[in-house]
């Protein structure tokens, strides 16, 4: 189970900075596209800012990191176990 502590991506962006940029350039429920998703910070920022997102990442290991980080962002206390969440 990969989490935030296992983020080995070399160019991780601060979530606060990406959240600011997401909010600055979009409105609630807009779709944010990140064609170079890396470790998924833009997706996490989109979740926190109530935006939809499309992330593209070619590296399978980074994709696993993205999945774990976004799952944690959507369900930080690990309380919800629905398949659709």
């Amino acid at each position: 189970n990969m989490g935030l502590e296992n983020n080995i991506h070399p160019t991780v962006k601060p979530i606060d900075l990406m959240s600011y940029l997401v909010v600055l350039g979009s409105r609630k429920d807009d779709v944010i596209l990140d064609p170079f998703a890396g470790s998924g910070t833009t997706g996490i920022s989109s979740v926190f800012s109530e935006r939809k997102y499309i992330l593209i990442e070619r590296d399978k290991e980074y994709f696993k990191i993205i999945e774990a980080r976004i799952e944690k962002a959507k369900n930080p206390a690990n309380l919800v176990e629905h398949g659709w969440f």
Side-chain angles (χ1 to χ4, degrees):
N1 185 13
M2 299 184 115
L4 298 174
E5 66 279 356
N6 294 325
N7 189 355
I8 57 168
H9 195 275
T11 60
V12 177
K13 309 296 183 290
I15 291 174
D16 287 345
L17 171 61
M18 289 311 298
S19 294
Y20 171 75
L21 295 173
V22 165
V23 169
L24 184 67
S26 64
R27 294 188 174 118
K28 184 179 173 184
D29 293 325
D30 278 357
V31 178
I32 307 299
L33 171 65
D34 186 352
F36 306 99
S39 63
T41 302
T42 302
I44 292 166
S45 298
S46 298
V47 168
F48 291 162
S49 303
E50 299 180 72
R51 273 63 170 173
K52 297 175 179 95
Y53 55 89
I54 298 171
L55 306 178
I56 301 169
E57 177 53 52
R58 68 179 183 164
D59 188 303
K60 289 180 185 180
E61 289 305 309
Y62 293 151
F63 179 76
K64 292 176 187 176
I65 291 169
I66 291 169
E67 281 187 313
R69 292 182 77 208
I70 289 181
E71 180 180 330
K72 179 90 171 162
K74 287 182 175 179
N75 187 15
N78 201 25
L79 296 176
V80 180
E81 295 186 19
H82 298 290
W84 47 265
F85 189 75

